[in-house]
Amino acid sequence: MLGDDPTIHSFGPSRFLNRELSWLEFDARVLALAEDERLPLLERVKFAAIFSTNLDEFFQVRVGALHEQLRAGVAAPSADGRSAEQVCSEIRARVVELLARQRDVLANELAPRLVEAGIRIATWKDLGEDGRALASEYFVSHVEPVLTPLSVDRAHPFPAISNLSLNLGVWLENPETSAVAFARVKTPAMLPRFVKLGEGEPLLPIEELIGAKLDQLFPGMRILEHHPFRVTLDADLELDEGEADDLLEAVAEGLQRRLRTNHPVRLEVERAMPANMRELLRENLELRSDDVYEFDALSDLGDLWELHELPRPDLKYPPAVAVQPLVLRDEEPERAADFFEVLRREDVLVHHPYESFRGSVEEFVWQAARDPNVLAIKHTLYRTSGRENPVVLALCHAAQAGKQVAVVVELRARFDEQANIERAQLLEHAGAHVVYGVIGLKTHAKLALLLRREKDASGGTRLQPYAHLGTGNYHARTTRLYTDFGLLTADRDICADVNEVL
């Protein structure tokens, strides 16, 4: 009988999946979409880009934490029985395998089909006379003014390499002394990765353009060779929350410290990079050989998103238009119903992005902000978009109108810390009461609660609560990308539970 089998009650290492390796399998499924021939061409390119950006986050967060364990000498295995050293070794093997798959699908499937569709990524050598003239003009007007080449010698130590920046490593020779030096040129992140040279011309990666113009950056020097490389840093803020009297100040200081001191966890180099340049980078970044990954034609493939943004609807899915839930529509076109009237009758479950986030959740908060009978709004924010985020603006409007607005802003939302600090300060300036999360925990809840003064059956007034509970974030962009559910309700039991959390 099953109940007599002792293995059913065993919770040894064999019963657990490794969280890092299982995350890689998730990203492998993203890559499989890039390999799926049934998808439109630029959708496949998009998934190849998402695979790369996911991998960037994986190294910053998951591999960064493993490196921290190695530096601290943590020997205890995780629940699945693997040590940090073992996990790093298995990660490398799996990542190398996945990168080979990505290279194969890009080189043998996507790139040739893009050329057939009139989209070609060229090297400098591929350009004709007209293309080079256009590229040179773009370099002088847009690129050269923002470049700051840095050489390494006795007077100039190895420079700090910013996280996920694309760089060129250059060997220079002084013709007068024959002395050879290393220099680093950082490609400007504010410029497009792929330079559009003109109608009928191919796209030119910006590192190709800079590499072709290095003699203008180092006048009088002989350019021996150059190769692109990229560095990934640990994204940990290294907060000591137990000692933090002011969480906002602690996160702000942690962001500054992360820019200056966080450790490298990955070095990506062009396969053709010579061993002496590769070793110079690896040693100065204090990385192991297993932390070095090779690429062939292009690095930083997350920038393939730029190709997906090209105006080629014939190579993409037809655009999906989110619909307004019928129950939330007014009889007049282009106008929302009175949400409070609707929710007093029934709960409304919305399914994003198929049903409009703007026409449901954002409208719910805006109606609350404008309604003079709404006295208080409580809200959580984990990830938000820019300063024009509609939910944040509605909360500011409500606070400025004299409503009691209380917002829990989770400052430690990974990679959104600076944005959340800015949103928190914006809300405070508008008069909202802001709470910066809970020490030792992250607030992932997506909740909103408002209290509205309404007439009761006896002719008096009462406070009627309304709530929103969601699986996603109050982020205008991601609500159009990710599948999430939201519940709008006036149920007093549910609202009481939301109030307990807030």
Side-chain angles (χ1 to χ4, degrees):
M1 294 178 63
L2 288 177
D4 296 328
D5 185 349
T7 62
I8 296 298
H9 306 288
S10 171
F11 288 94
S14 63
R15 297 289 297 275
F16 293 92
L17 296 173
N18 181 269
R19 66 193 297 267
E20 280 73 32
L21 297 175
S22 64
W23 194 100
L24 281 178
E25 295 315 307
F26 152 73
D27 209 19
R29 294 195 292 275
V30 175
L31 180 59
L33 292 170
E35 298 168 325
D36 191 339
E37 296 182 357
R38 298 170 297 177
L39 273 61
L41 179 58
L42 286 182
E43 301 298 338
R44 296 178 68 185
V45 171
K46 175 188 72 177
F47 283 113
I50 294 173
F51 167 79
S52 289
T53 55
N54 283 352
L55 208 57
D56 288 345
E57 181 175 337
F58 175 77
F59 273 90
Q60 291 175 90
V61 178
R62 299 294 184 85
V63 177
L66 290 168
H67 277 220
E68 183 62 32
Q69 291 182 39
L70 293 175
R71 285 192 295 272
V74 176
S78 57
D80 63 305
R82 291 175 171 88
S83 67
E85 188 70 45
Q86 287 175 299
V87 177
C88 285
S89 178
E90 292 186 53
I91 284 173
R92 177 175 176 81
R94 185 61 170 141
V95 168
V96 167
E97 178 186 345
L98 292 174
L99 290 175
R101 280 174 52 185
Q102 186 190 36
R103 283 195 297 269
D104 179 68
V105 71
L106 286 170
N108 299 325
E109 294 187 43
L110 301 184
R113 295 186 184 185
L114 285 169
V115 171
E116 291 174 4
I119 303 171
R120 183 164 65 97
I121 299 175
T123 66
W124 180 260
K125 294 179 181 178
D126 296 330
L127 297 181
E129 184 176 341
D130 291 344
R132 291 191 178 189
L134 290 169
S136 298
E137 181 181 339
Y138 181 84
F139 178 80
V140 171
S141 60
H142 290 82
V143 182
E144 187 176 20
V146 296
L147 293 180
T148 306
L150 298 173
S151 60
V152 177
D153 53 36
R154 292 181 180 179
H156 302 87
F158 190 83
I161 308 295
S162 51
N163 187 36
L164 300 181
S165 62
L166 181 59
N167 307 270
L168 288 180
V170 187
W171 282 131
L172 304 168
E173 183 183 55
N174 187 323
E176 298 180 359
T177 65
S178 298
V180 175
F182 174 80
R184 170 252 188 165
V185 182
K186 177 181 176 180
T187 65
M190 76 290 296
L191 295 179
R193 172 71 182 285
F194 300 104
V195 180
K196 300 175 184 178
L197 299 176
E199 191 68 30
E201 294 288 342
L203 299 171
L204 183 68
I206 195 166
E207 67 271 25
E208 280 283 328
L209 175 57
I210 295 172
K213 299 296 180 179
L214 287 172
D215 57 335
Q216 297 182 31
L217 301 178
F218 301 98
M221 300 292 285
R222 182 177 294 119
I223 310 299
L224 300 179
E225 56 184 314
H226 66 273
H227 300 274
F229 70 93
R230 188 167 179 258
V231 175
T232 307
L233 304 181
D234 175 9
D236 186 18
L237 283 183
E238 298 184 0
L239 298 180
D240 186 355
E241 296 183 11
E243 298 295 325
D245 295 324
D246 186 330
L247 187 57
L248 176 64
E249 182 179 343
V251 172
E253 290 177 354
L255 286 171
Q256 293 300 315
R257 189 163 53 250
R258 184 165 73 183
L259 291 173
R260 298 191 308 269
T261 64
N262 275 28
H263 297 278
V265 295
R266 177 180 59 165
L267 170 63
E268 298 170 90
V269 301
E270 186 182 38
R271 192 179 301 276
M273 179 181 283
N276 57 353
M277 184 181 293
R278 185 178 307 203
E279 282 303 296
L280 181 146
L281 292 171
R282 188 188 66 78
E283 290 177 2
N284 279 278
L285 294 168
E286 300 181 356
L287 289 169
R288 305 171 305 171
S289 296
D290 279 355
D291 299 321
V292 181
Y293 293 83
E294 296 178 332
F295 58 86
D296 290 316
L298 289 171
S299 69
D300 195 4
L301 293 174
D303 286 337
L304 291 174
W305 267 107
E306 291 184 17
L307 300 189
H308 184 266
E309 293 171 359
L310 292 172
R312 293 295 303 270
D314 55 314
L315 302 178
K316 306 176 191 179
Y317 283 128
V321 179
V323 299
Q324 178 88 350
L326 281 173
V327 70
L328 298 179
R329 296 184 196 173
D330 191 74
E331 293 180 358
E332 296 185 21
E334 306 300 324
R335 180 174 174 179
D338 182 330
F339 279 29
F340 306 121
E341 181 181 337
V342 171
L343 296 178
R344 284 195 297 271
R345 295 195 311 262
E346 59 184 304
D347 293 348
V348 178
L349 182 69
V350 287
H351 191 191
H352 312 302
Y354 314 107
E355 292 179 302
S356 169
F357 185 82
R358 175 182 296 178
S360 55
V361 179
E362 289 180 5
E363 179 66 21
F364 174 69
V365 182
W366 269 110
Q367 286 195 16
R370 295 188 178 112
D371 191 324
N373 288 314
V374 171
L375 306 181
I377 302 175
K378 299 181 180 181
H379 213 294
T380 64
L381 292 175
Y382 184 71
R383 293 194 190 278
T384 62
S385 48
R387 293 182 67 86
E388 300 303 310
N389 177 280
V391 170
V392 174
L393 292 180
L395 293 172
C396 290
H397 179 87
Q400 290 168 341
K403 302 182 191 299
Q404 294 294 314
V405 177
V407 186
V408 179
V409 178
E410 180 49 74
L411 297 178
R412 294 153 299 179
R414 186 83 67 176
F415 306 119
D416 276 342
E417 298 96 343
Q418 185 61 47
N420 282 8
I421 288 175
E422 293 173 2
R423 299 303 90 77
Q425 292 172 338
L426 186 67
L427 286 161
E428 284 186 326
H429 291 159
H433 176 66
V434 179
V435 178
Y436 301 118
V438 180
I439 295 292
L441 297 173
K442 276 191 178 181
T443 304
H444 281 268
K446 284 75 182 186
L447 302 171
L449 178 73
L450 57 95
L451 298 171
R452 187 172 187 265
R453 182 177 52 215
E454 298 180 356
K455 291 183 179 180
D456 59 21
S458 65
T461 60
R462 64 173 184 174
L463 287 181
Q464 170 64 46
Y466 296 86
H468 168 258
L469 302 84
T471 62
N473 295 302
Y474 296 100
H475 191 297
R477 181 171 179 269
T478 59
T479 57
R480 298 193 298 269
L481 298 174
Y482 301 144
T483 304
D484 285 298
F485 287 102
L487 177 67
L488 297 166
T489 182
D491 183 282
R492 284 186 171 272
D493 289 335
I494 295 176
C495 289
D497 287 343
V498 172
N499 190 52
E500 284 293 318
V501 174
L502 293 173

